[in-house]
Amino acid sequence: GENVEQHPSTLSVQEGDSAVIKCTYSDSASNYFPWYKQELGKGPQLIIDIRSNVGEKKDQRIAVTLNKTAKHFSLHITETQPEDSAVYFCAARKSYSGAGSYQLTFGKGTKLSVIP
Amino acid sequence: EADIYQTPRYLVIGTGKKITLECSQTMGHDKMYWYQQDPGMELHLIHYSYGVNSTEKGDLSSESTVSRIRTEHFPLTLESARPSHTSQYLCASSRGDRQNNSPLHFGNGTRLTVT
């Protein structure tokens, strides 16, 4: 089945700096890659997602890049702010075709701390 | 603003008790899920449902059971709680779509402590 590795597990940055979180996946059939942000005491919330026909996607200070050949994708947060402090999860899933699981496989999470 | 609701938010209960964690969504989503989140943050899928009267076990073996009698409701039951069941339980839902590209919407979780 799919295996998603996420690095680093913890990340501290100064306010205003950029933060990058990287994920690799194992199943070349995966083609949907969402990122979730989990704030303390809340459930994860989708912040951005990318599909395999796109190499990069941006939404204000957040961007995700995908390299299907290398099977890795990354989350980039620019001009970080204290409210960006949270746990971030990457995930991968494939469309309905062929054998195997069609559920989201999550990375183990990255705890991001933005220091004011 | 949450469209998926979990109750209770916190529950402390003694060993051997039967408990039901409630999850309801108002989005009309066909698919619903239960995840167990350990203290190290990792999310483990324990149950999912593709629609009414459909339930499947997830990747992580769990002694809990689920039911899906109504589209909007997906309760999780532990017949006899044990300290090993202490965890955060997250419910989620998503639309059914042909490409399987719909995002998950999570509730805020139930933090269960079994003493």
Side-chain angles (χ1 to χ4, degrees):
Chain A
E2 176 66 278
N3 182 47
V4 176
E5 301 274 347
Q6 182 172 347
H7 299 281
S9 57
T10 60
L11 179 60
S12 291
V13 299
Q14 289 291 136
E15 181 178 357
D17 288 350
S18 295
V20 181
I21 302 170
K22 298 182 179 182
C23 290
T24 60
Y25 61 98
S26 60
D27 190 342
S28 57
S30 289
N31 58 4
Y32 174 64
F33 307 94
W35 285 88
Y36 287 83
K37 175 184 180 182
Q38 186 175 22
E39 296 176 335
L40 197 62
K42 295 186 177 181
Q45 276 197 307
L46 179 75
I47 54 171
I48 195 167
D49 57 12
I50 192 168
R51 291 166 177 79
S52 62
N53 58 343
V54 176
E56 183 176 2
K57 185 177 178 180
K58 286 184 180 180
D59 183 3
Q60 299 182 340
R61 297 187 295 107
I62 292 172
V64 57
T65 58
L66 171 65
N67 183 327
K68 282 225 76 178
T69 303
K71 290 191 282 189
H72 67 70
F73 56 113
S74 301
L75 178 72
H76 304 254
I77 306 173
T78 58
E79 300 171 21
T80 53
Q81 300 166 6
E83 50 265 40
D84 294 328
S85 296
V87 177
Y88 292 81
F89 293 94
C90 64
R93 185 169 68 190
K94 62 183 180 182
S95 296
Y96 295 121
S97 62
S101 172
Y102 299 103
Q103 304 305 325
L104 267 178
T105 299
F106 284 91
K108 292 186 177 182
T110 296
K111 185 175 182 180
L112 173 66
S113 299
V114 179
I115 304 163
Chain B
E1 196 168 335
D3 295 313
I4 182 162
Y5 306 95
Q6 290 187 244
T7 56
R9 287 283 280 124
Y10 303 93
L11 180 61
V12 180
I13 202 161
T15 298
K17 299 292 185 183
K18 177 180 178 179
I19 59 167
T20 296
L21 308 184
E22 302 288 348
C23 176
S24 295
Q25 50 96 6
T26 59
M27 296 171 282
H29 286 169
D30 290 324
K31 298 180 181 178
M32 295 190 75
Y33 313 81
W34 277 102
Y35 285 85
Q36 188 172 334
Q37 186 169 33
D38 59 30
M41 307 180 296
E42 194 170 355
L43 294 160
H44 302 282
L45 180 66
I46 52 175
H47 298 283
Y48 61 97
S49 167
Y50 282 166
V52 172
N53 294 325
S54 150
T55 60
E56 302 285 345
K57 290 192 177 294
D59 305 322
L60 181 68
S61 175
S62 174
E63 293 166 347
S64 58
T65 59
V66 292
S67 62
R68 190 88 184 276
I69 298 171
R70 301 198 320 261
T71 299
E72 63 271 20
H73 198 212
F74 192 40
L76 180 146
T77 298
L78 276 166
E79 290 292 332
S80 180
R82 295 208 299 269
S84 61
H85 297 138
T86 294
S87 191
Q88 163 98 318
Y89 292 85
L90 289 162
C91 181
S93 70
S94 69
R95 280 190 298 112
D97 70 293
R98 288 187 177 183
Q99 294 303 314
N100 199 28
N101 282 345
S102 296
L104 298 186
H105 297 257
F106 281 90
N108 285 330
T110 293
R111 182 162 295 282
L112 172 65
T113 302
V114 184
T115 60

